[in-house]
């Protein structure tokens, strides 16, 4: 090797140019955007679960209160909160600001609501991370919440004007999720047998995780008022686990359920995400800030991607978003230890995983939305707590959260556990 080549090698080594992408994102720097607390409420069945009578604002209050208690952060230091939500009129902005005040945040703490459909909770976290990265704020919270029990239904979608109806691709934006997912399953040849096997696996993993207490660290139990459907009496109950998780689910038992969207279809209630209620919250700041305040660092945010896909193929969103976030983070697929991909439908999640060539053992190791639910605005924030908790428990480091998004989008983010 010539002296010039030796010098170039030394400079490259000094600059870290020879390090792998994984090594680079595992490095700790003062300007890293870190997570010092990530938690969620339990997720309960829409219309009949433990939160069926609890407004989204009250669920959010519970997540906020738990985050303040667990992190011991001075609420006056939190400068902004972003809350992902899909169904609330007006985006929930008014009642969510009120919930923050009731939880103990001062009037100096700002709040906004965010709606990018199923990725709203993740978008909220990313918005806060980017605000910190640019110096707009020092400390913030990305959160998400949904009461599908109280706000899910036809009123959640505005009627299209003649202008929108007259544009073919625009009109496709309002095709119901189940209908377009059924069409995608047929178009991409995703068999019912494979979907039912994937869905049964999600239930089975979630049951094991719940029985072994693997969700306990991420869950903040909530005491709420619940109306007994048999007596009509209101009771105070404490909800401390996801109540949609069911035992005894097998591909054979799922094969007996009637298809929901077409007579010869493959999608049904057992291999699609559950209608659910829940909230989640993630506390973010720079590493230097966390160290100065004595905040325990549980992980860090690295990068995020958002992409558009054809509205009728919205389910392929993660397939397009995940490779883009690899590029943005400077990593390769082999660098990732766990993938939390939202199970909107078994068909789309399975197709994305297979098309990307993912090891299914790395995908949703504690089950997913098919097993315990998908409160629309909550899921993106919920995945952060689920991912970081599991990475830390297993001694692994790098994870990705991702989901398909209604109207034809996908989103993904890279996180590192500490």
């Amino acid at each position: 090797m010539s002296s010039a080549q030796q010098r170039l090698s030394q400079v490259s080594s000094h600059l870290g140019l020879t390090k792998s992408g994984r090594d680079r994102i595992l490095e700790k720097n003062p300007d890293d955007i870190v997570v010092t607390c990530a938690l969620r409420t339990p997720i309960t069945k829409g219309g009949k679960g433990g939160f069926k009578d609890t407004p989204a604002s009250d669920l959010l209050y519970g997540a906020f209160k738990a985050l303040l208690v667990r992190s011991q952060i001075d609420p006056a230091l939190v400068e902004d909160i972003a809350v992902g939500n899909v169904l609330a009129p007006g985006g929930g902005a008014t009642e969510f600001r009120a919930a923050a005040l009731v939880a103990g945040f001062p009037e100096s703490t700002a709040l906004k609501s965010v709606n990018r459909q199923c990725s709203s909770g993740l978008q909220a976290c990313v918005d806060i991370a980017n605000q910190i990265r640019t110096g707009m704020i020092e400390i913030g919270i990305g959160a998400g919440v949904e009461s599908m029990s109280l706000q899910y239904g036809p009123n959640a979608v505005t009627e299209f004007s003649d202008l929108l109806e007259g544009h073919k691709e625009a009109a496709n934006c309002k095709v119901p999720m189940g209908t377009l997912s059924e069409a995608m399953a047929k178009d991409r040849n995703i068999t019912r047998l494979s979907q039912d096997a994937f869905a049964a696996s999600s239930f089975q993993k979630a049951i094991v995780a719940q029985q072994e207490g693997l969700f306990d660290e991420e869950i903040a139990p909530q005491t709420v008022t619940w109306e007994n459907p048999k007596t009509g009496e209101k009771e105070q109950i404490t909800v401390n686990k996801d109540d949609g998780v069911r035992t005894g689910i097998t591909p054979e038992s799922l094969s007996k359920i009637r298809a929901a969207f077409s007579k010869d279809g493959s999608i049904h209630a057992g291999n699609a995400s559950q209608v659910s209620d829940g909230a989640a919250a993630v506390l973010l700041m720079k590493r230097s800030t966390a160290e100065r305040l004595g905040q325990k660092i549980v992980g860090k945010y690295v990068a995020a991607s958002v992409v558009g896909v054809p509205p009728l193929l919205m389910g392929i969103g993660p397939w397009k978003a995940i490779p883009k976030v690899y590029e943005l983070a400077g990593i390769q697929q082999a660098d990732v230890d766990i993938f939390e991909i939202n199970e909107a439908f078994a068909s789309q999640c399975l197709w994305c995983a297979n098309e990307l060539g993912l090891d299914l053992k790395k995908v949703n190791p504690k089950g997913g939305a098919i097993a315990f639910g998908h409160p629309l605005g909550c899921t993106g924030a919920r995945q952060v707590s689920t991912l970081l908790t599991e990475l830390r428990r297993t001694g692994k480091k790098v994870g990705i959260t991702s989901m398909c998004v209604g109207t034809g989008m996908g989103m993904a983010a890279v996180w590192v556990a500490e």
Side-chain angles (χ1 to χ4, degrees), residues 297-308:
I297 297 171
V298 297
K300 75 172 179 179
Y301 163 79
V302 179
S305 66
V306 64
V307 299

Side-chain angles (χ1 to χ4, degrees), residues 56-91:
S57 57
D58 293 20
L59 289 173
L60 188 62
Y61 157 82
F64 284 162
K65 199 71 178 176
L67 181 140
L68 290 176
V69 170
R70 189 175 294 186
S71 70
Q72 291 295 296
I73 190 74
D74 178 353
L77 297 177
V78 178
E79 295 171 88
D80 199 10
I81 301 171
V83 181
N85 182 266
V86 178
L87 301 176

Side-chain angles (χ1 to χ4, degrees), residues 86-100:
V86 178
L87 301 176
T94 302
E95 61 265 37
F96 298 163
R97 162 74 164 160

Side-chain angles (χ1 to χ4, degrees), residues 193-237:
L193 186 63
S194 66
Q195 293 176 58
D196 286 351
F198 182 85
S201 175
S202 182
F203 277 106
Q204 291 161 6
K205 288 185 290 186
I207 277 291
V208 171
Q210 192 173 75
Q211 290 174 344
E212 294 184 357
L214 304 187
F215 292 118
D216 293 354
E217 183 180 340
E218 67 187 83
I219 288 178
Q222 302 294 308
T223 299
V224 297
T225 301
W226 181 78
E227 184 176 304
N228 189 316
K230 294 181 179 179
T231 65
E233 295 182 358
K234 293 183 177 180
E235 308 170 8
Q236 289 286 303
I237 65 168

Side-chain angles (χ1 to χ4, degrees), residues 229-248:
K230 294 181 179 179
T231 65
E233 295 182 358
K234 293 183 177 180
E235 308 170 8
Q236 289 286 303
I237 65 168
T238 296
V239 183
N240 58 19
K241 66 178 182 178
D242 305 324
D243 64 19
V245 179
R246 300 197 298 275
T247 59

Side-chain angles (χ1 to χ4, degrees), residues 78-390:
V78 178
E79 295 171 88
D80 199 10
I81 301 171
V83 181
N85 182 266
V86 178
L87 301 176
T94 302
E95 61 265 37
F96 298 163
R97 162 74 164 160
L101 294 172
V102 176
F105 293 99
E107 68 243 23
S108 58
T109 302
L111 182 144
K112 69 174 180 179
S113 62
V114 179
N115 185 354
R116 197 194 288 277
Q117 306 219 46
C118 299
S119 66
S120 298
L122 176 56
Q123 186 65 63
C125 293
V126 172
D127 281 2
I128 291 296
N130 286 337
Q131 286 176 243
I132 296 168
R133 186 166 278 169
T134 61
M136 183 177 177
I137 62 173
E138 272 197 297
I139 300 173
I141 294 170
V145 66
E146 207 73 68
S147 171
M148 297 184 78
S149 290
L150 301 180
Q151 294 173 317
Y152 187 55
N155 292 333
V157 181
T158 303
E159 285 296 318
F160 273 23
S161 67
D162 291 342
L163 174 67
L164 303 185
E165 290 282 10
H167 186 285
K168 182 179 179 181
E169 198 71 336
N172 287 338
C173 288
K174 72 170 189 175
V175 175
M177 299 283 183
T179 301
L180 61 84
S181 293
E182 188 68 76
M184 176 188 165
K186 291 177 180 177
D187 180 70
R188 301 301 166 104
N189 194 30
I190 310 161
T191 67
R192 170 153 181 173
L193 186 63
S194 66
Q195 293 176 58
D196 286 351
F198 182 85
S201 175
S202 182
F203 277 106
Q204 291 161 6
K205 288 185 290 186
I207 277 291
V208 171
Q210 192 173 75
Q211 290 174 344
E212 294 184 357
L214 304 187
F215 292 118
D216 293 354
E217 183 180 340
E218 67 187 83
I219 288 178
Q222 302 294 308
T223 299
V224 297
T225 301
W226 181 78
E227 184 176 304
N228 189 316
K230 294 181 179 179
T231 65
E233 295 182 358
K234 293 183 177 180
E235 308 170 8
Q236 289 286 303
I237 65 168
T238 296
V239 183
N240 58 19
K241 66 178 182 178
D242 305 324
D243 64 19
V245 179
R246 300 197 298 275
T247 59
I249 302 296
T250 65
E252 292 71 30
S253 67
L254 293 177
S255 71
K256 299 174 183 178
I257 302 175
R258 183 180 300 175
F261 303 104
S262 68
K263 191 174 181 180
D264 62 342
S266 60
I267 296 175
H268 54 81
N271 63 21
S273 58
Q274 299 181 35
V275 173
S276 310
D277 308 320
V282 181
L283 180 61
L284 296 142
M285 63 192 74
K286 284 187 177 181
R287 184 181 301 279
S288 56
T289 305
E291 291 174 346
R292 173 168 53 83
L293 296 175
Q295 284 280 303
K296 179 182 178 181
I297 297 171
V298 297
K300 75 172 179 179
Y301 163 79
V302 179
S305 66
V306 64
V307 299
V309 298
L312 290 182
L313 293 174
M314 67 95 194
I316 71 172
W319 164 78
K320 190 173 181 181
I322 289 173
K324 183 177 179 180
V325 87
Y326 291 157
E327 183 179 348
L328 292 171
I331 61 173
Q332 299 178 359
Q333 189 158 288
D335 295 327
V336 183
D337 298 310
I338 294 177
F339 295 84
E340 280 289 332
I341 303 177
N342 188 42
E343 298 169 355
F345 298 89
S347 57
Q348 60 79 215
C349 190
L350 179 61
W351 183 87
C352 289
N354 286 341
E355 200 70 12
L356 289 168
L358 304 184
D359 179 353
L360 289 181
K361 292 179 181 178
K362 290 185 174 184
V363 178
N364 304 344
K366 296 192 290 191
I370 290 171
F372 47 77
H374 172 31
L376 304 176
C378 166
T379 291
R382 188 276 302 168
Q383 287 179 315
V384 179
S385 64
T386 302
L387 175 67
L388 292 179
T389 301
E390 184 65 5

